[in-house]
Amino acid sequence: GALDTGARSARDAVAEADLVFLAAPLAANMSLLREVTDALPRGAIVTDVGSVKRPIEELAKEMVRDDVAFVGGHPMAGSEKRGISAADAYLFENATYVLCPPEPLPWHPSRINNLIDLLQALGARLLMMSSHRHDALAATVSHLPQLIAVTLAEYAANVNSTDPTVTQLAAGGFRDMTRIASSPYELWREILAANNGPILDAVAGFSAALRSLRNRLIEEDEPGVRSMFDSAREFRDAVPTSSKGFLRPLADVYVAAADRRGALHSITKALFENDLNIKDIELLKLREGTGGTFRIGFDSAGDADRAARILTADGHRAHTLET
């Protein structure tokens, strides 16, 4: 049911379209825009979903007619998985969706009302900004974290090559920090090339911050290190938890479980019967004969709080980090 009609070419697909999404990788979107630009009907709206905006906006300024509205888009939602099996009907719900109208506008802003209405109907939270500003911010909050996750995972792998105990110790915090390191390089190759300048600036800024932390540790500057922790916590706590993005974290519940047959089943059964969807589960520790603790991840803090209440009422010892 995903497709109502098909077309033999991209030009045929857009011939009668009011709204066109270019939803391929970055370089392919550029090629698609070149291919379809002459076939677009008068009054059509064209957008893309790439995570770098300046290159395709510059191409659109050269190629797209004045009677067609092009506006770059970037939904801040997704995962490290790909393919039709990873499709999510609620992908855009509560997700920040950036739109980058070109400057200056060759058309009246009302021309993209249909696009705005559709995205809002999908539950997205719209944010308007220039492509230059978007690419600089994306380098900081999306592209840099990917590189940090990759570097951290590779560093741990190198240590693990001489001491395999690393994999036994790398539990919840490490897994949360490196989850996006599972993203395929094919997806990121074009992003790193297309947004090279802002990414290099972000890497340089982060490297300077890391050197500053190292210097404070060398100098045993406890107040300075504490100040960094406090500042980081204050900023992290200010990041909205009700919106989704590339680094959308899971909300965890910790459940004590006895070392007996069926212990895990009783936990998952209670959650299933209350329509709670488990996104991740991990056994943190287990003592022979005494039991252990399961970390269970949910999509939202609300689901985690509800799960903790349900499990507690069902006779389990369960809590979130906030309770």
Side-chain angles (χ1 to χ4, degrees):
L3 300 176
D4 296 316
T5 59
R8 294 183 179 276
S9 70
R11 292 178 62 86
D12 289 344
V14 306
E16 298 181 4
D18 298 314
L19 179 57
V20 175
F21 283 86
L22 305 178
L26 293 171
N29 279 344
M30 305 274 280
S31 296
L32 283 170
L33 184 60
R34 293 187 183 94
E35 181 180 350
V36 305
T37 185
D38 292 337
L40 293 165
R42 180 182 179 86
I45 304 170
V46 184
T47 187
D48 77 310
V49 295
S51 63
V52 182
K53 300 271 59 82
R54 285 179 297 173
I56 196 165
E57 181 182 283
E58 292 169 0
L59 178 65
K61 287 179 178 178
E62 296 177 9
M63 303 201 64
V64 175
R65 307 188 314 268
D66 289 342
D67 61 356
V68 171
F70 175 85
V71 54
H74 181 198
M76 298 294 288
S79 78
E80 69 277 13
K81 302 184 184 301
R82 59 179 176 174
I84 191 66
S85 62
D88 181 358
Y90 301 101
L91 181 64
F92 301 116
E93 190 167 324
N94 288 325
T96 297
Y97 199 118
V98 179
L99 290 180
C100 299
E103 298 175 345
L105 281 174
W107 31 263
H108 193 274
S110 63
R111 282 279 302 280
I112 62 170
N113 282 347
N114 288 343
L115 171 61
I116 291 173
D117 291 344
L118 173 62
L119 297 180
Q120 289 178 334
L122 292 173
R125 301 182 176 188
L126 297 186
L127 184 62
M128 302 284 189
M129 65 177 64
S130 70
S131 61
H132 284 75
R133 184 183 176 202
H134 166 275
D135 289 357
L137 294 177
T140 297
V141 300
S142 176
H143 306 159
L144 176 64
Q146 176 67 38
L147 297 179
I148 292 173
V150 168
T151 304
L152 177 58
E154 184 190 31
Y155 176 75
N158 291 335
V159 176
N160 189 68
S161 65
T162 58
D163 187 348
T165 309
V166 170
T167 55
Q168 299 176 39
L169 297 179
F174 182 84
R175 290 180 59 190
D176 289 343
M177 283 283 294
T178 58
R179 177 179 61 84
I180 55 176
S182 299
S183 298
Y185 175 69
E186 292 75 15
L187 173 68
W188 282 93
R189 178 177 57 83
E190 293 181 3
I191 294 173
L192 298 178
N195 205 29
N196 184 259
I199 289 174
L200 289 177
D201 291 341
V203 170
F206 181 78
S207 297
L210 198 58
R211 284 195 302 272
S212 176
L213 173 60
R214 182 176 185 272
N215 290 338
R216 291 178 179 182
L217 293 173
I218 291 172
E219 297 165 1
E220 298 184 359
D221 178 11
E222 192 272 342
V225 176
R226 175 186 290 273
S227 176
M228 292 183 70
F229 269 69
D230 291 343
S231 177
R233 183 178 63 254
E234 182 180 352
F235 175 78
R236 178 63 179 80
D237 291 347
V239 175
T241 58
S242 59
S243 61
K244 298 191 293 187
F246 277 112
L247 300 179
R248 176 168 57 96
L250 296 178
D252 294 329
V253 173
Y254 297 85
V255 188
D259 183 13
R260 61 175 175 79
R261 182 182 301 176
L264 179 58
H265 173 72
S266 66
I267 294 170
T268 57
K269 180 173 180 288
L271 298 174
F272 170 78
E273 289 177 345
N274 286 275
D275 200 29
L276 280 165
N277 185 30
I278 297 173
K279 303 298 289 187
D280 190 25
I281 188 167
E282 176 185 16
L283 179 59
L284 296 179
K285 57 184 178 180
L286 180 67
R287 293 186 181 92
E288 191 72 27
T290 60
T293 300
F294 285 102
R295 180 187 64 83
I296 305 177
F298 296 89
D299 255 334
S300 68
D303 282 353
D305 290 339
R306 181 166 165 249
R309 292 194 300 270
I310 289 168
L311 291 171
T312 299
D314 198 49
H316 299 279
R317 286 189 292 130
H319 69 277
T320 65
L321 290 181
E322 289 73 30
T323 60

